[in-house]
Amino acid sequence: MQPIAITQGDPAGIGPEIVAKAFRDAPDALRHCFVVGDLATVRRAAGVITRPGVPGVPVAQIAAPGEAADAPPRCIPVLQLPGIPGPQPWGEISAAAGRAAADSVVWAARAALRGEVGALVTAPLHKEALSAAGVDFPGHTELLQAEAAAYQGVPLAQMPVRMMLANDELRTVLVSIHVSLRDAIAAVTQDNVLQTLRITHAALQRSLGRVPRIGVAGLNPHAGEGGLFGREELEVIAPAIAAARGEGLDVHGPFAPDTVFMRARSTPLRAGEFDVVIAMYHDQGLIPVKYLGVEKGVNVTLGLPLVRTSPDHGTAFDIAGQGIADASSLIEAVRMARALCG
């Protein structure tokens, strides 16, 4: 079993403490995992979650990913990165914190691309801190895309990626990611929608072992109501769906955005009509998944030559350092990463 790298996240946020909680509370799921980052930051986080009557969490430094397999249960193996900033004040945006988070992600991505780790799971980072550190990417997805393109020696445009949010009831993939709403609407082109359908089909066919059923949300209210509320569905989205169906993809839509997610939702009482919904922009797709519970949601990057998952929440600066953050989403992200990388 290949080791899985977990990045520490922004040291001023809840990332390090949910990582520590995950090792403490789900030792079986965290076997063969290790943390990439700063030893002192992880030790501080382990101290934060220590309570009377609750066993402490030991932290051990390792020199290589393979040493993670030798760590005893509930011990956190940490691969210390040289030059990485150490612990930062809780809840404060800073360039040092952004740099620490970015350095962890870059190291883990390159290790995954080299085949030294089976997958990476990224704890939350803060986008303003990332920008303050001079990192010219708005988030994990774009940073990983750039690393993968550079590794393979191809232009960024030849490494298209998409964000999928998933839990045990619903999956959704986004046509655009971290852009303004105005730019997101402009990004709804036939090429972008078709590319999203292709990436989603390929990724889910691998993980499900069959052709996935894909539902597509419209952009406008009521999916445009036959052109009364906008023509994107008629002139852009429907032609992309037709092209995808011509390639053998099982795609349906566009459907009204306010009902398609309910139709796709799978519960113990009712199987969903679709395996995944394609959303036209960020909040359209993320709100329904997060409404079902951020503690269950997992962020998966599709289209990369590596496996990357992440918890479906942010740095939560308002509760950082209090030891009360919920590690459930991170634990689910580890489980999904392990399933995706076999």
Side-chain angles (χ1 to χ4, degrees):
M1 180 183 296
Q2 277 193 299
I4 291 177
I6 303 176
T7 63
Q8 69 171 28
D10 190 304
I14 63 171
E17 63 188 273
I18 62 172
V19 170
K21 275 191 177 181
F23 276 92
R24 183 192 69 188
D25 298 342
D28 290 340
L30 273 290
R31 289 289 292 165
H32 298 275
C33 294
F34 67 99
V35 181
V36 182
D38 172 62
L39 192 68
T41 295
V42 178
R43 282 186 170 147
R44 180 178 70 163
V48 160
I49 67 168
T50 301
R51 295 287 185 271
V54 179
V57 186
V59 180
Q61 184 170 351
I62 60 173
E67 296 178 16
D70 300 325
R74 296 186 173 85
C75 176
I76 309 173
V78 179
L79 194 147
Q80 172 72 45
L81 297 185
I84 187 173
Q88 301 297 313
W90 297 115
E92 293 186 12
I93 299 171
S94 70
R99 174 50 54 193
D103 286 352
S104 301
V105 174
V106 169
W107 187 95
R110 292 175 180 176
L113 290 165
R114 293 192 299 264
E116 296 170 7
V117 299
L120 63 149
V121 177
T122 56
L125 51 72
H126 196 285
K127 293 174 175 58
E128 287 186 54
L130 206 64
S131 178
V135 178
D136 192 26
F137 303 100
H140 280 116
T141 304
E142 297 85 356
L143 177 56
L144 292 168
Q145 178 189 26
E147 285 294 326
Y151 183 82
Q152 294 196 344
V154 300
L156 205 59
Q158 293 183 24
M159 185 63 64
V161 298
R162 293 297 187 271
M163 178 190 292
M164 179 173 77
L165 270 291
N167 57 35
D168 55 1
E169 298 182 35
L170 181 65
R171 300 182 187 92
T172 182
V173 176
L174 313 179
V175 171
S176 62
I177 306 176
H178 299 122
V179 297
S180 71
L181 184 55
R182 188 182 303 277
D183 289 343
I185 293 171
V188 180
T189 66
Q190 184 173 337
D191 286 345
N192 283 345
V193 174
L194 181 57
Q195 188 176 71
T196 305
L197 291 169
R198 288 169 173 161
I199 291 171
T200 302
H201 169 84
L204 287 187
Q205 186 169 39
R206 286 193 300 270
S207 62
L208 296 176
R210 57 173 172 80
V211 173
R213 302 163 300 158
I214 304 174
V216 180
L219 173 66
N220 299 297
H222 302 187
E225 198 71 76
L228 293 175
F229 305 150
R231 299 193 58 82
E232 286 84 358
E233 286 77 11
L234 296 174
E235 297 174 358
V236 175
I237 302 173
I241 291 172
R245 291 176 67 87
E247 296 175 7
L249 279 63
D250 187 6
V251 186
H252 306 271
F255 299 113
D258 57 355
T259 57
V260 66
F261 298 99
M262 292 183 286
R263 293 173 59 179
R265 182 185 179 190
S266 181
T267 71
L269 300 178
R270 174 187 170 278
E273 293 181 44
F274 311 111
D275 296 304
V276 63
V277 176
I278 305 301
M280 292 299 114
Y281 56 92
H282 184 278
D283 286 8
Q284 185 189 60
L286 267 59
I287 287 172
V289 176
K290 292 192 175 186
Y291 182 77
L292 293 173
V294 293
E295 73 280 357
K296 299 188 298 181
V298 178
N299 183 339
V300 184
T301 304
L302 306 182
L304 292 172
L306 55 84
V307 173
R308 177 260 173 164
T309 67
S310 180
D312 182 21
H313 58 73
T315 51
F317 277 179
D318 56 324
I319 61 169
Q322 300 178 37
I324 61 175
D326 190 338
S328 299
S329 184
L330 179 71
I331 295 168
E332 290 304 313
V334 172
R335 288 180 174 140
M336 184 171 288
R338 199 179 299 283
L340 291 172
C341 70

